[in-house]
Amino acid sequence: MNTAFTEHRTREPESGLATIVTDFSADQRAFRNVSWGKAMMWIFLLSDTFIFGTFLIGYMSARMSTAEPWPNASEVFALEIAGHHLPLILIAIMTFVLISSSGTMAMAVNYGYRRQRRPTAALLVVTALLGATFVGMQAFEWTKLISEGVRPWGNPWGAAQFGSAFFMITGFHGTHVTIGVIFLLIVARKVIRGDFDHGRPGFFTGRKGRYEAVEIMGLYWHFVDLVWVFIFAFFYLW
């Protein structure tokens, strides 16, 4: 025992980066009540924030630096319905659908906390359907613009950067929504089968009686909705 104490006293003190790493790894409070799944989701969302932020900053830089006129979003994204010219009507509906899905996702998490299986699964499915509706309307928007001559390298309304920025930013976001829809359906299936109630081993299944996977999906889905608010403001309203 004295030997161990002597070795501890004679060990050289850590300094610099090693000290910081030791302090964080020895912390008993920061992540005491946080599961690895939830912590990793927060880390993923943080990294994704940097990616979307880089895309939007690149879009703003391209728009402010181009010498050609930037296409008018009210004209580019307008629809003719019953002889009426309606600017941004499709984008407004898409935004309403996606924001509504954030509400159903919040209710699903709430029922998950209460361990009420049927309403949790039903609200997850409704959220997935709203997300799929959003992706479908985005596909219609892409088809319309492609038929009108919009390409990543040019468009008939002005600056060539418009096409590449539009397809890259909305496509990357649409991919996130599509992935979210798939995982919402997977989690809904697990909920309705009772995997979380019985602690059945498998992908996305935690400890018995815990619906944490629903909460983790909620974090992802709310992030996707929040990103769309910024895309809507920067790309369609500016």
Side-chain angles (χ1 to χ4, degrees):
M1 182 174 181
N2 292 334
T3 304
F5 178 78
T6 304
E7 290 178 356
H8 177 74
R9 291 296 300 272
T10 56
R11 185 181 301 167
E12 294 184 1
E14 295 179 334
S15 60
L17 181 61
T19 304
I20 298 175
V21 173
T22 302
D23 289 342
F24 272 96
S25 60
D27 192 354
Q28 298 296 316
R29 293 172 297 175
F31 297 101
R32 173 176 291 181
N33 297 319
V34 179
S35 67
W36 278 109
K38 193 184 298 185
M40 291 302 102
M41 177 55 73
W42 276 114
I43 292 173
F44 168 76
L45 296 182
L46 179 62
S47 64
D48 228 19
T49 299
F50 288 124
I51 296 175
F52 276 108
T54 302
F55 283 172
L56 291 175
I57 291 173
Y59 165 75
M60 290 187 291
S61 300
R63 178 164 182 174
M64 291 186 293
S65 62
T66 180
E68 298 182 60
W70 198 263
N72 186 352
S74 297
E75 297 298 325
V76 175
F77 302 105
L79 290 179
E80 294 288 340
I81 301 177
H84 298 283
H85 185 75
L86 302 176
L88 299 177
I89 182 64
L90 180 63
I91 309 304
I93 297 173
M94 290 169 61
T95 304
F96 175 78
V97 168
L98 199 59
I99 297 302
S100 298
S101 73
S102 195
T104 57
M105 186 71 242
M107 288 191 289
V109 174
N110 185 32
Y111 279 109
Y113 282 141
R114 302 177 187 179
R115 300 179 185 176
Q116 297 183 17
R117 188 170 64 185
R118 292 186 181 278
T120 301
L123 286 165
L124 286 172
V125 172
V126 171
T127 304
L129 290 176
L130 290 172
T133 302
F134 175 87
V135 174
M137 288 189 291
Q138 191 172 65
F140 172 80
E141 179 189 36
W142 275 41
T143 302
K144 174 180 176 294
L145 293 181
I146 291 173
S147 66
E148 293 173 349
V150 180
R151 300 290 187 274
W153 51 85
N155 68 89
W157 297 295
Q161 296 94 326
F162 172 81
S164 58
F166 170 77
F167 289 120
M168 178 183 66
I169 294 174
T170 61
F172 192 62
H173 178 265
T175 302
H176 278 68
V177 177
T178 303
I179 293 172
V181 168
I182 294 172
F183 279 96
L184 281 170
L185 294 175
I186 292 173
V187 174
R189 180 172 180 267
K190 286 182 169 292
V191 170
I192 202 63
R193 289 196 316 176
D195 289 7
F196 302 117
D197 294 317
H198 306 297
R200 182 181 301 172
F203 184 64
F204 264 1
T205 304
R207 286 181 287 179
K208 182 178 180 179
R210 298 193 64 178
Y211 282 64
E212 194 172 62
V214 179
E215 183 181 0
I216 293 173
M217 279 305 309
L219 293 174
Y220 177 86
W221 197 257
H222 293 317
F223 171 80
V224 170
D225 291 357
L226 179 62
V227 168
W228 176 253
V229 172
F230 284 95
I231 294 175
F232 178 78
F234 281 82
F235 208 94
Y236 297 100
L237 298 183
W238 182 14

